[in-house]
Amino acid sequence: MKHLLFYTLLLALALSAREAPARKIALLVGIGEYQQAPFSNQSLQAEKAIKLMQLTLMKQGFAEANILVLSNAGATSHGIQQALQEHLFRAEDGDVVVFYYYGHGVQIADDNDDEADKLDEAIVPFNGYKANNKEHRNLIRDDQLGVWIQHIRKKCGPQGQVLVLIDACHSGGGVRGGRTKTKSDRYKLSNTTTASDDLAPFIAFYSSMPHQASLEMQVEENTKLSLLTWAFCKAMHQLVKGSTYRGVFEKTAQYMATKPLKQTPQLEGMQDMLVFGGLVSTPPPYFKPLLMLDDREMMVTGGRMHGLQAGTRMAVYPPETRDTSLKAPLAMGTVQEIGLGLLECTVILDKPIAEADGAAAWLFVKERSFAGYNLELCLQIDDSDLKKQLTNRLASLASVQLTDSPEANLILKEDRKNLLLQSMDGFKLWEEVLTNHRVDNILQSLQFALGNYLQAQFLKGLEFEGSPYRADFTVQVGKENATGVGRLRMNKDTATLRVVNQGTSPIYYTIIDIDARNIVSILLPRQMDLPADYRLEPGEESPPHKVRFNSEGREVLKLVITDRPINLYPVVASRGRADAGSGFFENLFASSYWNGEKSRGPSGHYIGNEAGVETIVLEVVK
């Protein structure tokens, strides 16, 4: 009986130890005074920064005994390595670890040919210095720091968490080294943005981009600090239940933006983690306010380049809203024509909201608008009877606005015995022989050409910024890669198209071609192919697709990315009249065909994340 009680007690102690809460441990490195030039005469407010960070972490449940502080002479290169080994390397499965550095940072020549810009980022310990342009001593490169962080992630395991904060010049990417030379081209730090079976989730806050400085300045009355530390701690003191690193970073960046320094903070890793907690769902695509103009008007960081057109309806929610079905929005808003730019727009709200609520809000698209689906047409016709017939017929067509301005989108004019439609830059889009017996046929053909123009303009401008479906789309002409604009010779040069799935789920892809005459055609899949064969797993690259072009002018290639195979050939064959099926993009594509009766263009209501679109422009020359 005594033996049974003894083993029962041992078992209870073991279970108790196993169920003990995970530890929260931190290493804070702050260097205000340096041993060597050129940093010995550049003192920093490291002591103040360390104290602020220490108090912030203690408020989040870090015991003071578990926070190790290294400062000045204690923070040599050897001292930092020893502290990592004796403090953070002792982390156990499920522990939460924080590594914080406040001091000088530099960029130095890459020493292992793994950086695209040929530069390593490095932090400068107390005894670190740059003797000359060729010699650097006692610096801790991003490659080495990345190896140490990787080891800590293994110690903490998948149930733990590792947070890194580097407040130094050139800090962006300061723990991940360069890129590996593999097909997937992932960062060295074991793909830090994703989960792993044996590694703790990783999050890193950097005070600036790799090429930027991080300067100290007056952040509060009688307080001088570097911006990241001040703004991060300020954001952390406002945490609420359910706060994630994404939300903390947005608030940190918001505070930093109130100061007049030109530095851009960076966030890397699994941002949709609860702060010192578990993983949460990734939010649907959203937009952020740039500026509250008043309590019912805001500037938003999204514009025509992001698919936001005048009339688009948006819902305003508190930050960290991941399921909009569970709560009512703070307000509804409508994108305005005035203030609509390529990268930003003005949104008018249906009711007032507080400035602080608006500045931190997330905006979700509820209904897109395709404003601007119209064209101006100038008639330059000398024959009065013909001009009257054309005017009467064209005036009855929706989306066509007749004008006398020579700066109209299109010009319709007589050219000897032909009727000619050309663009504002003089490119011929359509031509028909003019006879009295064929006027009705000519008008029908003209309407067809105008419809092609409207459809082409819509499709050329179609984008789905923020879509979860992402791909790298390139065209190689000879030895040159074209990711924006390429040039090739008609009927001579071969263009090689490639697609790489950059998302986290399988995709299907379709490529639409819009030529200089505004003729829309399906380039891939080919009509004899199965659309289901055009599937790519995450990270997978498509086989090379080789094409040639037989007409001069500008070719616009639109890569359409969806989560299921689509077939646009029936839509093309019927010019939008056939049943497009239940698919979102098929229906949107079908609605882009214009028959002269629609008051506006495509009007499908969607939230903007049902497809992805990438664009490449090719100039085809003789």
Side-chain angles (χ1 to χ4, degrees):
M1 186 68 176
K2 290 182 180 180
H3 292 294
L4 178 60
L5 289 174
F6 175 74
Y7 287 119
T8 301
L9 180 60
L10 283 181
L11 178 61
L13 289 173
L15 290 173
S16 175
R18 189 185 309 167
E19 295 174 358
R23 293 182 305 159
K24 295 180 177 179
I25 57 179
L27 171 60
L28 310 184
V29 179
I31 309 172
E33 305 294 334
Y34 279 81
Q35 183 180 51
Q36 303 286 345
F39 305 110
S40 55
N41 60 352
Q42 300 177 22
S43 60
L44 301 172
Q45 301 293 319
E47 183 178 355
K48 194 176 295 182
I50 289 290
K51 188 65 176 178
L52 179 60
M53 186 61 68
Q54 188 176 25
L55 292 173
T56 299
L57 294 179
M58 289 171 63
K59 186 178 178 181
Q60 296 302 317
F62 285 71
E64 186 172 5
N66 288 336
I67 301 176
L68 177 62
V69 174
L70 282 186
S71 58
N72 295 337
T76 62
S77 57
H78 175 72
I80 293 173
Q81 182 173 359
Q82 186 176 20
L84 283 162
Q85 292 172 342
E86 296 181 358
H87 190 57
L88 298 190
F89 284 9
R90 293 182 178 179
E92 299 176 353
D93 188 41
D95 285 350
V96 174
V97 170
V98 173
F99 174 77
Y100 168 73
Y101 172 82
Y102 189 100
H104 285 297
V106 295
Q107 281 189 312
I108 55 178
D110 176 22
D111 64 347
N112 61 353
D113 193 29
D114 70 340
E115 295 277 4
D117 60 359
K118 306 301 182 184
L119 295 171
D120 278 335
E121 286 72 50
I123 60 175
V124 185
F126 173 76
N127 60 336
Y129 71 100
K130 181 168 67 173
N132 52 51
N133 291 332
K134 297 182 179 179
E135 184 180 7
H136 310 275
R137 294 182 180 175
N138 299 322
L139 302 182
I140 298 177
R141 294 175 182 264
D142 50 10
D143 305 81
Q144 181 59 68
L145 189 54
V147 171
W148 291 337
I149 297 300
Q150 190 86 334
H151 183 71
I152 297 170
R153 292 179 67 195
K154 288 181 179 178
K155 298 287 289 185
C156 294
Q159 302 304 314
Q161 194 178 101
V162 176
L163 171 64
V164 173
L165 300 111
I166 301 182
D167 200 343
C169 294
H170 313 293
S171 56
V175 298
R176 56 179 167 87
R179 294 178 179 265
T180 60
K181 296 180 179 179
T182 64
K183 177 181 176 182
S184 60
D185 198 28
R186 288 191 169 93
Y187 287 115
K188 277 188 170 181
L189 193 54
S190 187
N191 198 12
T192 58
T193 59
T194 61
S196 172
D197 291 339
D198 61 349
L199 298 178
F202 163 88
I203 310 94
F205 282 64
Y206 307 118
S207 59
S208 61
M209 297 175 72
H211 63 278
Q212 291 179 327
S214 297
L215 304 178
E216 293 184 333
M217 67 176 303
Q218 200 80 14
V219 292
E220 306 280 0
E221 187 176 357
N222 300 321
T223 302
K224 184 179 180 182
L225 273 180
S226 184
L227 291 184
L228 177 69
T229 296
W230 164 76
F232 173 81
C233 292
K234 193 175 179 71
M236 288 289 286
H237 281 277
Q238 298 177 20
L239 284 185
V240 296
K241 184 179 180 180
S243 292
T244 65
Y245 288 104
R246 179 193 293 271
V248 171
F249 178 78
E250 287 181 354
K251 191 165 282 292
T252 299
Q254 182 182 337
Y255 286 134
M256 291 178 68
T258 64
K259 303 300 178 182
L261 281 183
K262 293 183 178 180
Q263 66 186 75
T264 305
Q266 303 285 289
L267 174 65
E268 182 182 11
M270 299 186 68
Q271 55 189 319
D272 291 306
M273 294 282 298
L274 294 173
V275 176
F276 304 133
L279 185 66
V280 297
S281 62
T282 301
Y286 64 93
F287 294 90
K288 288 289 297 175
L290 179 64
L291 178 69
M292 288 295 294
L293 301 175
D294 58 43
D295 60 1
R296 296 188 65 161
E297 185 175 1
M298 61 172 61
M299 291 290 292
V300 173
T301 54
R304 290 194 300 270
M305 287 291 288
H306 308 92
L308 298 183
Q309 299 283 1
T312 297
R313 294 278 291 160
M314 307 186 80
V316 183
Y317 280 88
E320 302 286 359
T321 300
R322 283 169 162 71
D323 187 349
T324 58
S325 66
L326 299 178
K327 61 176 69 174
L330 299 174
M332 295 296 296
T334 304
V335 175
Q336 301 299 296
E337 182 68 43
I338 298 175
L340 178 60
L342 291 176
L343 301 175
E344 59 190 33
C345 66
T346 303
V347 175
I348 301 295
L349 307 179
D350 63 354
K351 59 183 178 182
I353 60 176
E355 181 178 359
D357 292 338
W362 289 5
L363 282 82
F364 299 92
V365 173
K366 290 300 182 182
E367 179 183 325
R368 294 232 181 214
S369 170
F370 295 104
Y373 197 73
N374 297 290
L375 65 86
E376 289 185 338
L377 178 62
C378 176
L379 298 183
Q380 295 180 357
I381 307 295
D382 295 329
D383 187 320
S384 58
D385 289 339
L386 176 60
K387 186 172 184 179
K388 184 177 180 180
Q389 289 186 66
L390 290 170
T391 300
N392 291 338
R393 179 66 66 90
L394 295 171
S396 67
L397 299 180
S399 299
V400 175
Q401 299 174 2
L402 297 178
T403 177
D404 294 327
S405 172
E407 296 182 356
N409 304 118
L410 301 177
I411 297 173
L412 183 64
K413 64 181 183 179
E414 289 180 89
D415 183 20
R416 298 178 183 176
K417 293 184 179 182
N418 292 348
L419 199 60
L420 178 65
L421 180 70
Q422 65 181 38
S423 60
M424 192 171 64
D425 58 3
F427 192 86
K428 183 171 65 176
L429 303 175
W430 170 88
E431 187 175 17
E432 285 282 356
V433 177
L434 187 58
T435 67
N436 292 331
H437 303 292
R438 298 184 59 245
V439 172
D440 286 341
N441 290 338
I442 289 173
L443 287 172
Q444 186 176 0
S445 176
L446 173 61
Q447 182 173 311
F448 187 90
L450 294 175
N452 287 344
Y453 176 85
L454 279 170
Q455 181 191 36
Q457 300 317 300
F458 163 68
L459 292 175
K460 285 177 182 178
L462 184 63
E463 301 291 345
F464 295 95
E465 189 74 15
S467 167
Y469 311 114
R470 303 189 308 276
D472 182 39
F473 184 31
T474 59
V475 175
Q476 182 176 337
V477 181
K479 296 182 179 180
E480 308 239 344
N481 279 332
T483 54
V485 177
R487 185 181 179 92
L488 72 162
R489 295 171 298 171
M490 182 176 68
N491 291 325
K492 292 183 179 180
D493 291 335
T494 298
T496 303
L497 282 59
R498 287 185 174 86
V499 181
V500 180
N501 182 1
Q502 293 185 321
T504 58
S505 59
I507 62 169
Y508 297 86
Y509 64 97
T510 297
I511 300 178
I512 298 173
D513 175 39
I514 309 164
D515 71 12
R517 299 162 298 161
N518 297 303
I519 303 301
V520 176
S521 58
I522 310 304
L523 200 60
L524 293 171
R526 295 170 300 176
Q527 195 157 8
M528 69 287 293
D529 294 339
L530 292 174
D533 290 340
Y534 286 73
R535 171 189 169 104
L536 295 176
E537 294 293 331
E540 185 180 1
E541 179 179 321
S542 72
H545 302 293
K546 297 184 181 295
V547 294
R548 284 189 175 185
F549 299 94
N550 57 12
S551 61
E552 185 183 9
R554 177 167 292 187
E555 301 274 342
V556 178
L557 306 184
K558 306 290 287 194
L559 171 73
V560 181
I561 315 155
T562 53
D563 63 350
R564 64 174 193 82
I566 60 175
N567 183 7
L568 300 181
Y569 282 101
V571 180
V572 173
S574 67
R575 290 191 59 80
R577 291 182 174 85
D579 182 10
S582 59
F584 155 74
F585 196 86
E586 289 101 322
N587 283 306
L588 178 64
F589 185 69
S591 68
S592 71
Y593 284 92
W594 178 78
N595 58 22
E597 299 171 359
K598 298 177 182 178
S599 60
R600 45 189 313 199
S603 58
H605 295 174
Y606 62 105
I607 62 173
N609 61 351
E610 297 92 338
V613 172
E614 300 291 337
T615 304
I616 283 182
V617 179
L618 294 173
E619 292 288 352
V620 181
V621 297
K622 288 184 178 180

